[in-house]
Amino acid sequence: MSEEKVIVLKPERSYFEEIYFSGNQGSLFFSSTTRGKTVTTIITALILLILFLFRDEFSKEKSGILYFVSFLFLLCAVFLSVSINKVSRWKKQVNAYLNTLDRCKVYEIRLDGNFFTVNIDGEKETSEWKDFAHFDIQEKYIALEGKYSYMFPAAAMSKSDYQYLKKAIKQNMDDK
């Protein structure tokens, strides 16, 4: 694969949104990052509520349980808020990227045996194949991670271009 191949992508927002926001990934409380923390915080809050309702039944020695569970609830809430902040920042970055796609006129991938270049309206990012650490090829998209990270939906290109890109990535990533 020494000759340069150019793959033109259709920069339709819906193709990218379908991949980025599948499976509650954009949900602040129930994304894969925050789901466990949300459930833990809710359970801790319920336990704290029950303990608070029955606080008159505790002796002086057992009232420390209420303080301990309050501390656990506070800890869970802090971890949940940090995760929500992380998802919120990721969502904001994805939406900013999708907004650039809305205004995009040219979105193309240029690849040969040595280099992989993504051109979005004249802004080019060039990487050597060795710069990529990981790739993921699925039925609906291809993801490349490394110096720059990319996700290319299958729906944004022709079937033949998608097959060519899959083959080129496997060949060049296995040669590393």
Side-chain angles (χ1 to χ4, degrees):
M1 186 182 134
S2 58
E3 77 281 350
E4 183 178 71
K5 169 79 171 163
V6 177
I7 298 173
V8 177
L9 282 82
K10 293 173 263 178
E12 289 189 33
R13 183 183 188 110
S14 62
Y15 297 152
F16 291 84
E17 281 180 335
E18 182 181 323
I19 307 297
Y20 279 122
F21 297 123
S22 68
N24 284 336
Q25 290 185 105
S27 171
L28 292 180
F29 292 100
F30 295 104
S31 71
S32 59
T33 306
T34 57
R35 183 177 322 126
K37 293 174 181 79
T38 300
V39 170
T40 304
T41 304
I42 290 170
I43 290 171
T44 308
L46 288 174
I47 292 170
L48 182 62
L49 179 67
I50 291 169
L51 288 174
F52 189 73
L53 291 174
F54 293 107
R55 72 181 180 274
D56 295 333
E57 307 296 320
F58 292 146
S59 63
K60 288 277 187 197
E61 296 83 33
K62 293 185 179 178
S63 63
I65 293 172
L66 189 61
Y67 294 117
F68 179 71
V69 175
S70 298
F71 174 74
L72 285 179
F73 172 71
L74 183 62
L75 200 60
C76 289
V78 167
F79 283 124
L80 177 61
S81 67
V82 168
S83 292
I84 287 172
N85 188 30
K86 188 186 298 184
V87 170
S88 178
R89 278 187 281 129
W90 172 82
K91 198 172 175 181
K92 193 179 288 185
Q93 288 173 337
V94 168
N95 280 322
Y97 173 67
L98 293 175
N99 288 337
T100 63
L101 288 182
D102 285 341
R103 297 182 300 273
C104 178
K105 302 285 186 249
V106 176
Y107 191 162
E108 63 185 17
I109 304 168
R110 293 180 179 275
L111 55 145
D112 60 29
N114 298 318
F115 297 100
F116 185 92
T117 303
V118 175
N119 177 9
I120 300 177
D121 281 341
E123 294 203 24
K124 297 179 181 178
E125 294 176 342
T126 301
S127 302
E128 291 185 68
W129 285 105
K130 66 179 176 149
D131 293 338
F132 294 109
H134 177 71
F135 69 96
D136 185 20
I137 298 176
Q138 300 291 326
E139 183 180 322
K140 292 186 172 193
Y141 68 91
I142 294 174
L144 281 169
E145 296 176 19
K147 176 181 167 184
Y148 301 109
S149 294
Y150 302 105
M151 188 278 301
F152 305 112
M157 61 188 94
S158 70
K159 287 187 187 233
S160 61
D161 284 343
Y162 188 73
Q163 294 303 321
Y164 183 85
L165 184 59
K166 278 175 34 176
K167 181 181 171 191
I169 288 172
K170 285 180 182 175
Q171 179 183 346
N172 286 295
M173 293 296 287
D174 288 341
D175 289 346
K176 287 190 351 177

